[in-house]
Amino acid sequence: MPKKQPKNQLLLDFSVRGNRIVLHLGQVESQRIADHLFLGLVNGDWMIEPAGEVADISYAQDIVHQIGHKLPYPEGVKIAQLHNVDPLFKGFSAIYHQKGWVFVNAASDINERNYHIHLLTVSLGLQTIYSSTASLAARSEQLIFEALLPFSEVESFFRTDISKMPGFLASDIANFFKVPFPMVLKRALALKIITDDQYRNFMTVNPAASKPRELFFSKDGSIDDLEAQLFSSGLGE
């Protein structure tokens, strides 16, 4: 990966040809790593193509189609899932050689990576419309929520009288939508499908793909009995 640059290097002034980062993901350290990676790419310290050891490369047409809005995307948006990068690196979108690129960490959780790829892809379609990074990120998230987390499907997983959720169910919900569980909760709260208290309670759940304990029913057992077992406090821990 690229060599460390002098401290007085202006990381955001990548080249006169318009190479630039559009949207960073993650906290300050992830953004620092992104700037370092992209500067090295622009300077020729490493090459993104051909695909192979450095990254897996794919096109973003399916994602653009799924998002469903006629946005002014750059020509030929590509996705690069980078190998052997710092675990703190989340991702970024960029214009490189007049093309749109999405860079993510190939080693990150599959649902997190899928969410990031969608978010960064749509940011490339919105980058000529929103000059503010905060506005670009917010609008990108809104479009992704609408595309990946429609109201009717999110609503089907929640009830207002449930205060606890088992880890395996949180994992199933995240896998159904292919996004991190906290993103499902954020969408559910915004749509007023869950309350503030439910949001705070569910955010403490650690999604775990473990099988629930075996369920036994009496002859007069009902669906309420099943729900009582599924949402019992023991499984929610």
Side-chain angles (χ1 to χ4, degrees):
M1 281 300 172
K3 295 177 287 186
K4 190 172 183 179
Q5 300 298 319
K7 290 184 178 179
N8 61 353
Q9 181 84 48
L10 292 177
L11 294 180
L12 299 181
D13 186 16
F14 294 111
S15 86
V16 296
R17 293 184 297 173
N19 296 324
R20 64 190 184 280
I21 288 180
V22 173
L23 183 65
H24 291 88
L25 294 179
Q27 301 302 314
V28 173
E29 185 61 18
S30 176
Q31 296 179 23
R32 185 196 65 79
I33 296 167
D35 287 342
H36 185 57
L37 287 171
F38 193 59
L39 184 63
L41 177 63
V42 171
N43 286 344
D45 296 337
W46 62 285
M47 297 178 61
I48 192 63
E49 293 183 300
E53 184 176 342
V54 173
D56 297 323
I57 308 294
S58 59
Y59 283 93
Q61 295 101 319
D62 290 344
I63 292 175
V64 170
H65 178 74
Q66 183 180 11
I67 293 168
H69 294 270
K70 293 182 179 180
L71 302 175
Y73 288 98
E75 181 182 354
V77 177
K78 291 184 179 181
I79 301 162
Q81 300 188 48
L82 300 178
H83 301 292
N84 303 316
V85 291
D86 193 303
L88 293 175
F89 171 68
K90 297 296 184 182
F92 64 96
S93 56
I95 303 299
Y96 177 61
H97 289 176
Q98 290 79 51
K99 306 291 184 181
W101 282 88
V102 167
F103 298 87
V104 294
N105 192 337
S108 61
D109 172 78
I110 186 170
N111 291 333
E112 179 181 79
R113 191 164 71 250
N114 181 64
Y115 176 73
H116 287 167
I117 287 172
H118 280 75
L119 183 70
L120 293 171
T121 296
V122 78
S123 76
L124 290 170
L126 294 171
Q127 50 104 14
T128 59
I129 303 172
Y130 293 90
S131 57
S132 162
T133 300
S135 297
L136 174 62
R139 181 55 175 159
S140 297
E141 182 179 79
Q142 182 182 5
L143 293 186
I144 294 308
F145 277 179
E146 292 172 359
L148 301 184
L149 299 159
F151 176 88
S152 60
E153 293 184 4
V154 175
E155 185 186 36
S156 68
F157 285 99
F158 298 96
R159 273 182 20 190
T160 56
D161 60 341
I162 295 173
S163 60
K164 295 183 180 294
M165 177 171 292
F168 74 85
L169 184 55
S171 177
D172 286 348
I173 293 172
N175 291 336
F176 177 84
F177 291 108
K178 297 181 174 59
V179 303
F181 184 61
M183 293 298 100
V184 182
L185 295 180
K186 185 175 181 179
R187 173 66 165 163
L189 180 64
L191 293 173
K192 302 187 184 304
I193 293 171
I194 60 175
T195 65
D196 289 339
D197 286 342
Q198 285 179 306
Y199 176 80
R200 287 191 291 270
N201 288 336
F202 296 161
M203 279 292 289
T204 65
V205 176
N206 181 28
S210 58
K211 294 181 180 179
R213 66 193 180 197
E214 189 174 359
L215 301 176
F216 295 93
F217 296 93
S218 62
K219 290 183 180 180
D220 59 348
S222 67
I223 189 64
D224 292 332
D225 297 327
L226 173 60
E227 289 180 346
Q229 293 183 66
L230 286 177
F231 295 99
S232 65
S233 58
L235 285 175
E237 296 175 353

